[in-house]
Amino acid sequence: MDHISRVGVFIAVVKAGSFAGAALTLGITSSAVSKQIQNLEQDLQVKLLNRTTRNVSPTEEGVLYYERAARALEDLKEAEDEINELKSCPRGPLRVSLPQSLGIKYFGDAIAAFAAQYPEVDLDVNLDDRLVDVAAEGFDLVVRIGSLKDTSFIARRMADCPLVLCASPDYLRTHGVPQTPADLVQHNVLAFPGNRGPHEWRYADQAGETGQVSLQGTFKANSGDILCRAALQNVGIFLLPIFYVAEHLESHRLQHVLPGFTTSPKREIYAVFPPNRVQSTRLRLFVDHLVATAKQLPWLT
């Protein structure tokens, strides 16, 4: 037994007033109880118990040790109870960030359900399409879309999130349907400056061969929703994550352009959080909740 376990045996002996009584309480033999008391006295270099044929009573040092040790073990038990309570009823602050449209369209109800299920969690949700600084801005978790690079943070994959080329059927009837990526140079391709890179498309064909084509257009916006609305008004072709267009592809208000090609590299949705040694229960439960929700995303089902 370790030292704390021996202390527990000592407390049981004092409470029972005998080795036999403590043995019955602990479910071990009287000789085992006696041995652990001897070991504890040896560790402390002091006699803790007066032993007679009729009973066992603490010495002066034993009384002092019993009072302090019993209080300490009670504190440990309370701490364990609090931890177990946190596991079943988590509480405390949780600050998270999600891309705006993805958060509103596909995770809003799930986040509200989490808040209802765990009312003791102080949930702070930030919806923003910019690349937030996890550490500097004090986020416990961010949801990111992209091709994950090496990072010091922990990342849990949630779902595929392909970038797709789309346009309205009316636009394609008027301006023609591109047959190859090179044909895109003849089209008005709407631009999303939030990509922080050149206006181009990197792609892979069905054989896995990659390429890229420079794009040009007369309309740009830092909002995927605005670009989607412009495409629905026949302004041009646009390249955006699937969650902006999934419902419009389903209703045929938008049409997938160049379906034989895929954006390269592959984009996915990740839950990203700092590498703490001990992950809080509220964070673990929230990540599990998001991952379960992501399995029901319409382009996956």
Side-chain angles (χ1 to χ4, degrees):
M1 285 188 180
D2 58 27
H3 186 77
I4 293 179
S5 299
R6 289 172 186 153
V7 173
V9 172
F10 166 71
I11 290 172
V13 170
V14 174
K15 285 183 176 179
S18 69
F19 287 175
L24 186 62
T25 300
L26 298 172
I28 58 178
T29 64
S30 294
S31 59
V33 171
S34 178
K35 179 64 175 176
Q36 294 310 316
I37 295 300
Q38 290 175 21
N39 290 339
L40 181 60
E41 289 178 329
Q42 217 169 29
D43 289 344
L44 298 174
Q45 294 295 299
V46 67
K47 185 178 180 180
L48 295 172
L49 296 172
N50 291 314
R51 303 161 176 83
T52 68
T53 55
R54 293 188 177 183
N55 64 10
V56 176
S57 61
T59 63
E60 183 180 353
E61 293 85 353
V63 171
L64 174 64
Y65 191 74
Y66 171 80
E67 291 175 352
R68 297 290 184 88
R71 191 181 312 143
L73 286 187
E74 285 177 6
D75 287 343
L76 285 175
K77 180 63 169 62
E78 287 180 6
E80 290 177 4
D81 290 343
E82 287 180 8
I83 289 172
N84 289 330
E85 184 181 356
L86 282 174
K87 288 179 180 178
S88 60
C89 185
R91 62 174 61 89
L94 186 63
R95 189 160 191 254
V96 301
S97 175
L98 296 88
Q100 187 171 49
S101 291
L102 178 67
I104 292 172
K105 286 185 177 181
Y106 296 110
F107 288 95
D109 288 342
I111 292 172
F114 183 89
Q117 185 175 359
Y118 301 108
E120 298 298 317
V121 174
D122 184 7
L123 192 58
D124 181 356
V125 181
N126 177 275
L127 298 175
D128 200 327
D129 288 331
R130 68 185 176 87
L131 193 65
V132 301
D133 189 321
V134 182
E137 298 182 49
F139 286 106
D140 300 295
L141 166 78
V142 298
V143 173
R144 285 192 172 155
I145 302 167
S147 177
L148 195 67
K149 299 177 181 178
D150 291 337
T151 175
S152 60
F153 293 103
I154 299 172
R156 185 169 172 188
R157 182 184 175 279
M158 294 169 58
D160 287 333
C161 187
L163 269 65
V164 293
L165 281 169
C166 294
S168 69
D170 284 347
Y171 174 88
L172 295 174
R173 276 192 292 269
T174 301
H175 299 278
V177 179
Q179 301 301 311
T180 69
D183 293 342
L184 292 173
V185 299
Q186 306 299 324
H187 288 268
N188 186 27
V189 183
L190 315 183
F192 180 65
N195 287 334
R196 299 182 180 179
H199 191 26
E200 64 182 16
W201 184 40
R202 296 176 182 269
Y203 60 86
D205 61 21
Q206 293 177 332
E209 295 293 325
T210 60
Q212 66 184 68
V213 57
S214 295
L215 307 173
Q216 55 186 357
T218 60
F219 187 97
K220 65 181 178 181
N222 66 349
S223 164
D225 288 308
I226 294 297
L227 292 176
C228 186
R229 290 172 185 271
L232 290 167
Q233 294 294 324
N234 313 319
V235 175
I237 298 173
F238 72 122
L239 176 68
L240 280 179
I242 185 69
F243 61 83
Y244 283 105
V245 299
E247 60 186 305
H248 301 306
L249 290 173
E250 175 99 15
S251 65
H252 305 292
R253 296 184 67 200
L254 290 176
Q255 182 176 323
H256 195 173
V257 176
L258 296 172
F261 298 83
T262 57
T263 300
S264 179
K266 182 179 180 182
R267 266 66 169 184
E268 296 176 301
I269 304 173
Y270 292 93
V272 179
F273 44 94
N276 295 328
R277 185 172 61 87
V278 179
Q279 188 182 120
S280 70
T281 301
R282 59 187 178 274
L283 175 59
R284 176 180 56 79
L285 288 173
F286 190 77
V287 173
D288 288 345
H289 189 69
L290 291 184
V291 171
T293 301
K295 291 179 180 178
Q296 305 303 316
L297 291 172
W299 59 91
L300 301 178
T301 58

